[in-house]
Amino acid sequence: MTTGVQPGRGSIAEVTAYFLRLGLLGFGGPVALVGQMERELVADKKWLSKEQMREAIAICQSLPGPLAIQVGIYISYLRCGFWGAWAGGWAFIFPNFVIVAALGALFVYLGDLKPVTGVFYGVSPAVIALILHSCYRLAKLGMEDWLQWVIAAVCLVVTVVLQAEVALLFLGAGFVGILYYGSLFRRPPAAVPMFAAPFAVPALAQLAPAASGSTLGKLLLFFLKAGSLTFGSGLVIVPFLEQGLVHQYGWLDQRQFLVAVAIGMISPGPVVITATFVGYLVAGFWGSLVATVGIFLPSFILVLVAAPLLARYRLNPNVQGFVKGAYAAAIGTILGACFLLGRIAIGDWLTALVGIASLAVLFRWKVNNPLLIAVTAVIGLIAYPLLQPAWVMVK
């Protein structure tokens, strides 16, 4: 299924430089970022094969945490080994951390960030279009037969009905893949240690330190749990964050929370960088640092445990079956999350028009993501004061 590329073949410097650039200029959320990595690293740079990219997406989607960061860590591991994974992953996060922490400082010290609302108004439907376009590319990459589409459809419906990603969907889809594609009932199964990783996930929450009385301790624990127990793309981490930040701890009100979501959507890099903005609002710079480490650290641990096992057992038919089933679940849950997020992003005729036009532009001219984001941001800045849509900042 793969070409057998072993980790450690590339330069840490080139991996760091690539992910610094991607972290600075990559827009559109996890699926768009993964699509960009697939286009640049598979088609252009030839760092890995299509099969390896498909495996990377499937294994990372089957683990909790932000998809784009995990795929970046996994690719960095394949390219440069253990230390390359740490270098590439944190390089991916760093530019966005600086940008979002700076926006948090502006919001706190200037009292408001009203232009963000206008930008959010114009950019959000374009982000939905970027997700749909990238999901189309990923479906072309890894969806092969009717069973995968059935799995995807079931996961889409469950995600929309429950309004959340369900961790067991990925494990169940992987098991269906083993039954259909693997050799579980054809010959004595080979040991597949890879499956220990998903079931070990809840233990990470137990490894997190008990919450202290300090705000920083509570922030760290909350975002460690978010990074450890929130499955899938990160696109529907929003309900989990809202429950904890607004209702459980009362750190933010509804308006501040929606501004935080907007920041995560309009800034480059992964959507869950919202954690950095939230951390700054709650506890200043150190809060932003603690929240960022908390949301991303579990991804490094999980991927660096799973990646060597996947590389070792990648030719096992049961592993391949699990990958196919989990990949299909990824496509379905991402589409379901896109629907849920679309209810926040699209609320009137203009946002619907921006979303449709953005999707048409992406399919027809393949415009780069930063240009699309810039144009729709200008549209939002101009249109928002004129239309004054009340729904944008209303739950």
Side-chain angles (χ1 to χ4, degrees):
M1 188 172 178
T2 64
T3 58
V5 176
Q6 295 298 319
R9 295 290 183 88
S11 161
I12 290 181
E14 69 176 353
V15 166
T16 302
Y18 173 79
F19 282 106
L20 276 172
R21 182 182 68 83
L22 184 63
L24 183 63
L25 301 176
F27 288 87
V31 186
L33 290 170
V34 171
Q36 185 172 342
M37 282 186 265
E38 181 266 328
R39 183 173 64 254
E40 294 176 347
L41 300 183
V42 176
D44 298 339
K45 293 181 179 292
K46 311 292 185 185
W47 281 9
L48 67 167
S49 67
K50 287 185 177 181
E51 289 77 12
Q52 288 172 317
M53 188 68 186
R54 182 171 61 186
E55 288 180 349
I57 296 167
I59 187 62
C60 293
Q61 185 68 52
S62 67
L63 299 174
L67 175 65
I69 288 295
Q70 290 177 324
V71 172
I73 295 169
Y74 183 90
I75 291 172
S76 299
Y77 171 80
L78 287 181
R79 188 70 177 167
C80 299
F82 179 84
W83 294 114
W86 286 95
W90 288 115
F92 195 0
I93 295 164
F94 180 72
N96 210 202
F97 169 77
V98 173
I99 292 170
V100 175
L103 290 173
L106 287 173
F107 190 89
V108 170
Y109 291 108
L110 297 182
D112 205 345
L113 206 59
K114 292 181 179 178
V116 169
T117 305
V119 172
F120 170 75
Y121 180 63
V123 165
S124 298
V127 170
I128 301 300
L130 284 168
I131 295 169
L132 288 173
H133 181 255
S134 295
C135 198
Y136 168 77
R137 290 180 58 87
L138 294 176
K140 286 180 61 179
L141 178 68
M143 299 294 281
E144 297 177 350
D145 58 26
W146 67 271
L147 180 61
Q148 286 185 293
W149 285 110
V150 169
I151 292 172
V154 170
C155 291
L156 188 158
V157 171
V158 172
T159 300
V160 170
V161 170
L162 298 183
Q163 300 189 27
E165 293 179 353
V166 180
L168 291 179
L169 282 179
F170 298 99
L171 301 180
F175 183 68
V176 171
I178 293 173
L179 295 179
Y180 186 78
Y181 302 108
S183 59
L184 192 62
F185 297 112
R186 299 175 190 172
R187 63 171 182 265
V192 187
M194 185 190 76
F195 290 95
F199 288 103
V201 168
L204 285 177
Q206 303 301 322
L207 295 176
S212 69
S214 71
T215 301
L216 288 179
K218 291 178 181 178
L219 270 174
L220 179 62
L221 180 62
F222 175 77
F223 283 107
L224 278 172
K225 287 181 178 179
S228 299
L229 302 176
T230 304
F231 269 72
S233 63
L235 295 173
V236 292
I237 197 174
V238 171
F240 178 89
L241 294 181
E242 193 225 359
Q243 176 62 32
L245 298 173
V246 177
H247 301 293
Q248 181 180 354
Y249 290 105
W251 285 330
L252 305 180
D253 59 29
Q254 288 286 358
R255 182 182 177 280
Q256 290 172 326
F257 177 74
L258 286 174
V259 170
V261 172
I263 292 293
M265 292 176 67
I266 67 176
S267 58
V271 172
V272 295
I273 202 67
T274 293
T276 302
F277 189 82
V278 169
Y280 202 102
L281 264 58
V282 175
F285 172 78
W286 293 112
S288 68
L289 184 62
V290 163
T292 304
V293 171
I295 198 73
F296 290 116
L297 183 60
S299 294
F300 285 87
I301 298 172
L302 289 166
V303 173
L304 290 175
V305 168
L309 294 174
L310 178 60
R312 182 176 179 182
Y313 291 94
R314 63 184 179 271
L315 297 180
N316 184 289
N318 296 314
V319 172
Q320 293 180 3
F322 182 89
V323 165
K324 288 183 178 181
Y327 192 98
I331 297 296
T333 52
I334 288 169
L335 288 173
C338 188
F339 175 83
L340 297 175
L341 199 57
R343 297 192 303 179
I344 299 174
I346 299 174
D348 59 19
W349 66 269
L350 181 60
T351 47
L353 181 61
V354 169
I356 294 170
S358 298
L359 196 60
V361 166
L362 288 168
F363 275 101
R364 177 63 179 84
W365 290 287
K366 299 181 180 179
V367 66
N368 64 71
N369 295 354
L371 178 59
L372 180 64
I373 292 296
V375 171
T376 54
V378 171
I379 293 173
L381 286 170
I382 295 172
Y384 181 76
L386 298 175
L387 299 178
Q388 297 185 356
W391 64 269
V392 174
M393 299 308 294
V394 177
K395 170 101 171 92

